[in-house]
Amino acid sequence: MPIFHLRTNVKDVPESFITKVSKEVATLTNKEEAKVMVTVEDNIKMSLGSSDAPAAIVQFHSVGMKVEHHAIISESIANLLKDIGVPHDRHYIQFYAPQPTHVGKLGTTIAELNKPKENVIHF
């Protein structure tokens, strides 16, 4: 369930960026790309250090993400943001590692979906 949510004042972030981010997030988290969600809110009003130069805030969520991986993920995200014109000193990244019980999907939780299936014998 990795989620990459970007808010930026960059205008018209291309669709190709979303595809690139999706692939990178799948690689970084070692999860299937089919489970990755990427959202982009571009062209929003934003200021960093009293400047409206290109800037961004990223929220990165992934069940099971370890603190030790934050620096590697941060470097990768910084490089992705550079592709849309956001320099390394003009963004922040917030990391979230929710418990599987705190993420819903398919009308249940990730914790329930990850439970081993009971071996049921039907006669």
Side-chain angles (χ1 to χ4, degrees):
M1 69 55 68
I3 299 170
F4 178 101
H5 181 65
L6 167 67
R7 289 193 218 67
T8 183
N9 58 356
V10 172
K11 294 180 180 161
D12 303 320
V13 172
E15 287 290 323
S16 60
F17 176 78
I18 295 170
T19 302
K20 187 174 183 178
V21 168
S22 182
K23 290 180 184 324
E24 184 67 14
V25 168
T27 299
L28 289 167
T29 59
N30 197 31
K31 301 209 175 150
E32 299 170 38
E33 190 176 356
K35 295 181 178 180
V36 174
M37 177 177 282
V38 177
T39 62
V40 174
E41 293 180 58
D42 57 5
N43 198 31
I44 65 170
K45 293 179 182 172
M46 180 177 285
S47 171
L48 177 59
S50 296
S51 168
D52 66 354
I57 178 78
V58 172
Q59 293 177 326
F60 192 93
H61 306 248
S62 186
V63 169
M65 179 173 48
K66 297 189 179 348
V67 172
E68 304 85 65
H69 298 142
H70 290 179
I72 293 165
I73 295 168
S74 182
E75 179 182 12
S76 181
I77 291 173
N79 290 330
L80 288 166
L81 293 175
K82 209 163 121 181
D83 289 349
I84 60 167
V86 178
H88 287 181
D89 64 340
R90 299 281 306 156
H91 70 270
Y92 287 105
I93 304 165
Q94 297 173 308
F95 295 99
Y96 300 95
Q99 296 298 314
T101 53
H102 296 169
V103 180
K105 184 174 181 173
L106 299 172
T108 186
T109 66
I110 298 293
E112 290 297 315
L113 292 171
N114 287 341
K115 279 186 177 176
K117 304 292 182 220
E118 292 183 23
N119 291 331
V120 178
I121 300 172
H122 298 279
F123 293 96

